[in-house]
Amino acid sequence: MPNGLSFNRLSERPGGTVTICFEGQPVTAQDGDTVAAALLAAGYAVTRTTPVHGVPRGPFCMMGVCFDCLLEIDGRANRQGCMVRVTEGLQVRRMAGARSASIGEADA
Amino acid sequence: MPERTDLVVIGAGPAGMAAAACAAQRDLRVLLIDEQPAAGGQIYRGLDYTDRVKLEVLGPDYPRGRELLDGLAQPGIRCLPESTVWQVTREREVFISRNGEADVVVADRIVLATGAMERAMPFPGWTRAGVMNAGAGQILLKGSALIPDDNAVLAGSGPLLYLLAWQYLQAGVKVGAILETTPRSNLIQAMVHLPGALRANAYLRKGIGLLRAIRRSRVPHFRGVTALRALGSAQVESVAFESGGNAHALPCSILLLHQGVVPNVQITRSLGLEHDWAPLPRCWHPRVSAWGETAIEGIYVAGDGGGIGGAEVAAQQGRLAALHAAQHLGAISVQECESQARPVRRHLAYHLAVRSFLDTLYSPAREYLCPSNETIICRCEEVTAGSVREYVRLGCLGPNQTKAFGRPGMGPCQGRLCGLTVSEVIAGARGVSPAEVGYYRVRPPIKPITLGELATLPLPDEQQLEAQDIG
Amino acid sequence: MQTEFAVVGGGLVGMAIAHGLLRLGRQVTVFDEGDAAFRASRGNFGLVWVQGKGADMPDYARWTRRSAALWPVFAQTLRDRTGIGVELSQTGGIDIFLSEDEAERGVARLSKLRKALGGDYPFEYLGHNALKQLVPEIGSTVTGATLCPEDGHVNPLYLLRALYAAVLDSGGQVINGEPVRKIEYTGAGFVVTNGETWPAQKVVLCAGLGNAHLAPMVGLSAPVKPVRGQVMICERVVPFLNYPSVQIRQVGEGAVQIGDSKEDVGLDDGTTSEVLAGIARRAVRTYPLLRDVRMVRSWGSLRVMSPDGYPVYDRSRSCPGASLVTCHSGVTLAAIHSMVLAGWIAGDAHPELVEGFSAERFEFQPAV
């Protein structure tokens, strides 16, 4: 559920919209958005819980410095949501604490 | 064999773009690397796509970056977007991660143009979702044309705070409030530097214009704000503070923070270069020559990464480094280098004239440099200022010891966000200057890299890694 | 004011000795350097390790096992005193082999040890399938591993913090910031100089690599040299790895620590991409699921190695009251250093085995 944080679009990009999937819910984003921007625009403030004390966090710096917007994107854990562009059908999930090692597993 | 090139420029902001263009014009083969999909840096972010509304809101300085972007359209420049540099060596090897693969390029010259980042502004609750850097607000505006809801609150100190407020006003956002944390005494101290600043009075006029527009807008503007707290549960719901002897609380779902920008020194630190403590802007500057060259021959620093000067200064410094590199590689003579550098240096002096004034005027309040014990200062490892003070009591003298004692600086951001605060807190607890306390020893990787990527690099003798009986 | 014991070096070795002396009711002042010193104590791998140790010196194997056995009590003592848990886990450790050749050498080493110790040396060899039962995450090219039930690991950083807290809480003093440059024997005691001068009745040299130049000042010898190890640590991962190995372990908070190289590069504690790539390659072969896990930090650290790799414990004949403790395995031996060796230094106890670790042994053997 989006939780009450609100950003509005000043203008729309003619390139059109992209739909990504966040925690199983469709999220409409603008072409050119980062995943973190798309989630904020859709009203999702909390994008992970920390591995230390399990507290909720959201995007903070939006420029790749703080690592607070870590997300699971297309099955890969702990990716910086502010550094990945949206593409159609992108599967995005919150990171809940520490990652699992089994994601992306393949034997050598 | 790794790829070789004349010049690698790391960072495609104003310094990097200017350096690349200047070098390519002098026939150097340039590789320009940046993490973002398009050049521009944070200041000119999103300039590859703009519309009328966005340009009006962002103001007259923003489209000036277009000239720098256009300068990149030269055959000598190869751009490597969406690429992360994770190590630079003294032998001028640049290790890159791109599309999930590691690679290495060897350069004759390197310009580090990694820019600035916002100084952390820790206070209780600043880790709550919905609390963001003011720069993040600006990035959302430039990159995605996003503006916040009407009750957004801006808190802190410094020109970017006013610029963002002004931009939001242009966009029709009714800003909830501006909470000014600048100590009132700063203005008096800054007056000493005013004559120097008047040499670059365009900056002052611009600043006064912003402040005037904000005043006219009747946005609630609280001065001398202390005891800032972001309250709520998962997300920020209100902001509490004191101003003028009164306690206040305002509802807000978006709280944007700013107390100046500081150089991003991860690469220069990782190279083991000397850094000097700059007491006025309260940050570290890598030690460089007048050309921006570091103690490692052929590695330069240009732009805010060497000390905050802003976009104009950055571009000029990028050109100086490029000229010196071109001269070293024989593309121009020593005389040509000197004569071409002369006008560049003149511009530089003009744009730098205002720094002392601004640095003094917006020097952060002690409370947000050295936060209260309960405040989390390492966001990654959730370490409080009080814990760091306890490690000092146990005998830690510097940040590498406190890191070992309680993990501040050990998380994925690798100490970027907490580094200055931890040094300030230790210095405060010991009663010495951060210059004496020092900074984190930064080691590669500059940014986290997967083992899978790392494993694809050339191998050493594997026997060296086999278990042995070594006592 | 004169201190009874000046312990030179505030790493794991010095602090364990200081802690032990304080528990014996002695008065202790620890001298330590500043933030940027070479510190094996914050660069090490955190193993409480028995397996393979002392292949050429059975007494060292015995000494190591005794320390491992003392560790639970030691950890509890620290926790009782300071409230700091050091994440001790001693559920057995594995030495993983990636080729038949490695496996043969590894088993031969442990068999030799078992023989030297009269059969009392617990380990077993597990082939690929048996190992996979125990550690399902291993890769298909892992040959096998030796398992020693006495191996384990701790959080070495919490250990260091706990020792500081315990030493200060027990009335010990720490004087830090400047390295000790000079120690003089006055006939009646010692004067330690670190910029200022400090009188002491006795000195204990625990200065790691610094012992090499300090020891001769008090009639001792510490022929130690640095051997660099490069280590990396990865992001936190949900716990999956129950058995530490000498190269990969999962630490208490979930991060995966991976090591390590052995390089003779003098006092350079830097890292190199080539070596880190090799470490990563081996780690991914061992546990393929680590491929997508990110390295967050890497570092080089300097081991303190004597010519044969074993500890040096000595007391000065020409300067009575001066003693020396130096070793590579400051974590594993922390328990015995604190609980046994400190008594020997204090002169209260004469434990067996200690005399064999004198530096005199190098006078009759060529350096390795």
Side-chain angles (χ1 to χ4, degrees):
Chain A
M1 280 290 287
N3 32 18
L5 172 110
S6 35
F7 279 96
N8 305 310
R9 295 274 177 189
L10 190 59
S11 61
E12 309 254 304
R13 199 159 167 157
T17 60
V18 168
T19 304
I20 65 171
C21 184
F22 180 59
E23 295 288 344
Q25 301 294 314
V27 168
T28 306
Q30 287 275 301
D31 191 27
D33 281 350
T34 62
V35 173
L39 295 180
L40 289 172
Y44 293 103
V46 174
T47 51
R48 69 162 180 143
T49 54
T50 62
V52 182
H53 293 126
V55 295
R57 291 277 175 88
F60 179 73
C61 79
M62 293 298 291
M63 54 185 277
V65 169
C66 75
F67 289 73
D68 251 332
C69 61
L70 295 177
L71 291 158
E72 183 195 307
I73 299 177
D74 270 356
R76 294 192 58 209
N78 276 351
R79 294 183 73 190
Q80 291 182 284
C82 71
M83 301 299 284
V84 179
R85 299 276 142 168
V86 293
T87 52
E88 187 64 38
L90 204 67
Q91 294 291 319
V92 181
R93 293 193 165 277
R94 288 194 177 98
M95 290 301 305
R99 62 170 295 165
S100 146
S102 59
I103 296 169
E105 177 187 352
D107 207 334
Chain B
M1 281 294 284
E3 182 189 331
R4 292 196 75 95
T5 191
D6 294 331
L7 176 67
V8 164
V9 179
I10 303 171
M17 291 192 289
C22 177
Q25 278 159 7
R26 286 152 187 83
D27 293 330
L28 268 57
R29 289 173 305 148
V30 181
L31 184 67
L32 177 60
I33 307 170
D34 197 272
E35 281 193 292
Q36 296 294 331
Q42 300 306 340
I43 188 140
Y44 302 127
R45 187 174 171 135
L47 196 53
D48 55 318
Y49 170 75
T50 52
D51 56 23
R52 194 184 48 81
V53 183
K54 200 164 120 181
L55 287 178
E56 274 177 23
V57 165
L58 286 167
D61 285 340
Y62 181 62
R64 286 202 187 125
R66 195 156 281 149
E67 207 178 310
L68 288 167
L69 280 173
D70 292 344
L72 299 180
Q74 297 186 54
I77 301 175
R78 191 157 76 88
C79 290
L80 213 55
E82 294 182 277
S83 303
T84 301
V85 170
W86 57 271
Q87 183 174 15
V88 178
T89 69
R90 301 178 81 91
E91 292 72 36
R92 296 193 296 273
E93 301 157 294
V94 179
F95 290 81
I96 302 159
S97 165
R98 189 176 192 219
N99 295 329
E101 277 175 39
D103 204 356
V104 56
V105 180
V106 182
D108 279 308
R109 309 275 105 175
I110 296 173
V111 175
L112 305 174
T114 52
M117 48 187 216
E118 274 175 277
R119 182 197 301 277
M121 188 177 159
F123 56 84
W126 76 304
T127 51
R128 288 212 156 81
V131 182
M132 282 183 273
N133 276 336
Q138 234 191 7
I139 287 165
L140 288 166
L141 183 52
K142 290 171 182 170
S144 295
L146 286 169
I147 48 171
D149 219 4
D150 282 345
N151 67 357
V153 172
L154 278 58
S157 171
L160 182 68
L161 200 71
Y162 307 127
L163 178 60
L164 183 63
W166 182 85
Q167 288 168 335
Y168 282 166
L169 292 172
Q170 298 299 298
V173 178
K174 277 173 71 188
V175 173
I178 297 173
L179 312 182
E180 177 107 28
T181 59
T182 312
R184 289 166 190 272
S185 55
N186 281 12
L187 183 61
I188 300 155
Q189 283 158 17
M191 281 314 180
V192 182
H193 303 284
L194 189 60
L198 288 171
R199 280 167 42 216
N201 61 16
Y203 282 99
L204 297 182
R205 270 204 309 270
K206 214 185 300 174
I208 290 165
L210 290 181
L211 287 171
R212 212 171 266 159
I214 290 165
R215 198 169 310 138
R216 271 202 306 269
S217 74
R218 301 189 182 278
V219 173
H221 194 158
F222 295 87
R223 291 185 176 76
V225 166
T226 58
L228 199 58
R229 276 161 190 276
L231 307 173
S233 50
Q235 294 172 232
V236 58
E237 288 158 17
S238 67
V239 55
F241 57 96
E242 288 168 21
S243 173
N246 297 315
H248 301 266
L250 299 170
C252 74
S253 62
I254 297 168
L255 175 59
L256 297 157
L257 310 177
H258 182 73
Q259 59 172 350
V261 292
V262 293
N264 178 349
V265 293
Q266 295 298 107
I267 294 180
T268 48
R269 283 276 176 191
S270 76
L271 282 162
L273 292 163
E274 285 289 337
H275 288 66
D276 297 308
W277 175 252
L280 201 49
R282 298 199 81 83
C283 60
W284 300 90
H285 291 165
R287 199 176 291 170
V288 296
S289 75
W291 297 98
E293 194 171 22
T294 66
I296 304 172
E297 199 206 318
I299 300 187
Y300 302 81
V301 177
D304 280 352
I308 303 305
E312 292 288 343
V313 168
Q316 307 301 351
Q317 288 174 338
R319 288 181 190 114
L320 282 182
L323 287 172
H324 197 258
Q327 183 256 306
H328 172 86
L329 294 172
I332 55 174
S333 69
V334 174
Q335 290 78 6
E336 284 169 322
C337 182
E338 287 294 345
S339 67
Q340 291 172 19
R342 220 163 288 136
V344 178
R345 288 197 197 286
R346 241 190 337 265
H347 281 293
L348 202 54
Y350 171 82
H351 289 290
L352 279 171
V354 77
R355 287 320 309 180
S356 302
F357 177 74
L358 289 181
D359 287 343
T360 311
L361 184 59
Y362 296 115
S363 182
R366 187 89 196 135
E367 184 183 346
Y368 307 105
L369 288 174
C370 256
S372 61
N373 279 345
E374 69 193 292
T375 306
I376 288 175
I377 56 175
C378 167
R379 296 173 66 98
C380 295
E381 296 294 327
E382 298 175 49
V383 183
T384 62
S387 299
V388 171
R389 292 188 180 107
E390 166 65 10
Y391 308 148
V392 172
R393 189 191 69 82
L394 288 179
C396 293
L397 298 172
N400 295 293
Q401 288 174 302
T402 58
K403 186 173 168 182
F405 269 42
R407 303 187 57 82
M410 279 195 180
C413 101
Q414 302 166 303
R416 281 170 170 79
L417 226 59
C418 68
L420 283 171
T421 310
V422 168
S423 291
E424 290 272 12
V425 167
I426 296 171
R430 290 182 52 201
V432 299
S433 158
E436 192 173 322
V437 166
Y439 195 73
Y440 289 134
R441 168 114 183 238
V442 178
R443 306 249 207 181
I446 301 302
K447 284 192 102 170
I449 170 181
T450 66
L451 293 185
E453 284 175 80
L454 187 57
T456 59
L457 285 174
L459 260 184
D461 181 5
E462 254 193 87
Q463 292 300 318
Q464 204 181 359
L465 307 174
E466 193 192 322
Q468 292 161 22
D469 179 21
I470 51 163
Chain C
M1 205 190 80
Q2 173 162 286
T3 186
E4 186 184 0
F5 282 94
V7 174
V8 181
L12 287 175
V13 173
M15 294 310 282
I17 296 289
H19 176 249
L21 288 170
L22 286 160
R23 279 176 61 84
L24 295 170
R26 303 313 181 94
Q27 196 206 349
V28 178
T29 303
V30 178
F31 292 86
D32 193 37
E33 291 186 59
D35 188 58
F38 290 122
R39 288 185 186 278
S41 294
R42 66 176 180 220
N44 69 79
F45 210 67
L47 295 175
V48 175
W49 205 252
V50 168
Q51 188 166 177
K53 294 225 173 135
D56 298 313
M57 190 183 194
D59 276 353
Y60 180 55
R62 291 188 186 97
W63 185 247
T64 297
R65 287 181 70 191
R66 258 180 83 187
S67 192
L70 288 171
W71 248 102
V73 176
F74 179 56
Q76 191 57 46
T77 309
L78 287 175
R79 186 191 273 277
D80 290 346
R81 184 99 222 175
T82 67
I84 299 168
V86 297
E87 298 177 354
L88 175 69
S89 157
Q90 291 179 294
T91 52
I94 49 181
D95 192 2
I96 296 176
F97 309 118
L98 295 186
S99 70
E100 293 291 345
D101 216 35
E102 277 182 33
E104 248 170 63
R105 280 200 299 275
V107 173
R109 192 162 54 227
L110 296 191
S111 303
K112 183 179 158 191
L113 258 165
R114 177 176 280 173
K115 203 172 154 200
L117 295 177
D120 174 24
Y121 195 75
F123 82 91
E124 60 179 314
Y125 177 74
L126 305 172
H128 180 87
N129 291 337
L131 181 61
K132 208 171 169 71
Q133 296 271 310
L134 199 68
V135 190
E137 293 81 8
I138 56 164
S140 60
T141 63
V142 171
T143 307
T146 45
L147 169 73
C148 171
E150 295 176 0
D151 289 333
H153 56 158
V154 295
N155 184 320
L157 303 180
Y158 292 168
L159 170 60
L160 188 62
R161 171 150 64 98
L163 283 169
Y164 268 86
V167 164
L168 292 182
D169 188 48
S170 315
Q173 203 188 352
V174 177
I175 292 170
N176 55 10
E178 291 295 327
V180 169
R181 295 175 205 286
K182 203 167 73 177
I183 305 169
E184 289 164 287
Y185 179 60
T186 62
F190 298 85
V191 176
V192 174
T193 307
N194 69 342
E196 292 172 67
T197 55
W198 308 83
Q201 289 171 31
K202 294 166 185 163
V203 293
V204 193
L205 299 185
C206 305
L209 295 167
N211 277 348
H213 77 273
L214 293 174
M217 297 178 191
V218 288
L220 289 163
S221 160
V224 287
K225 289 214 169 79
V227 174
R228 182 170 73 183
Q230 293 189 44
V231 181
M232 65 177 81
I233 199 140
C234 299
E235 57 195 354
R236 282 187 166 90
V237 174
V238 171
F240 74 98
L241 190 54
N242 297 321
Y243 295 90
S245 76
V246 283
Q247 281 150 344
I248 304 174
R249 72 184 189 108
Q250 189 169 22
V251 304
E253 81 279 348
V256 180
Q257 189 175 9
I258 307 174
D260 60 354
S261 58
K262 284 107 197 166
E263 306 158 77
D264 180 8
V265 289
L267 291 175
D268 176 0
D269 69 348
T271 59
T272 63
S273 296
E274 291 73 19
V275 170
L276 291 176
I279 291 171
R281 173 100 157 222
R282 201 177 161 101
V284 169
R285 267 189 74 189
T286 307
Y287 298 119
L289 49 64
L290 290 177
R291 179 175 297 154
D292 188 47
V293 174
R294 288 170 192 79
M295 160 171 78
V296 174
R297 285 177 286 128
S298 71
W299 63 91
S301 189
L302 303 178
R303 297 182 186 84
V304 183
M305 295 302 276
S306 66
D308 57 10
Y310 302 125
V312 180
Y313 306 137
D314 241 336
R315 283 195 285 224
S316 175
R317 287 193 193 137
S318 57
C319 307
S323 49
L324 172 95
V325 180
T326 191
C327 73
H328 155 59
S329 298
V331 177
T332 302
L333 298 179
I336 203 163
H337 283 170
S338 186
M339 297 170 71
V340 177
L341 196 68
W344 176 72
I345 286 165
D348 295 349
H350 300 280
E352 52 169 345
L353 303 181
V354 172
E355 306 296 339
F357 290 103
S358 165
E360 280 174 12
R361 70 183 188 270
F362 304 120
E363 290 165 23
F364 309 105
Q365 289 172 11
V368 175

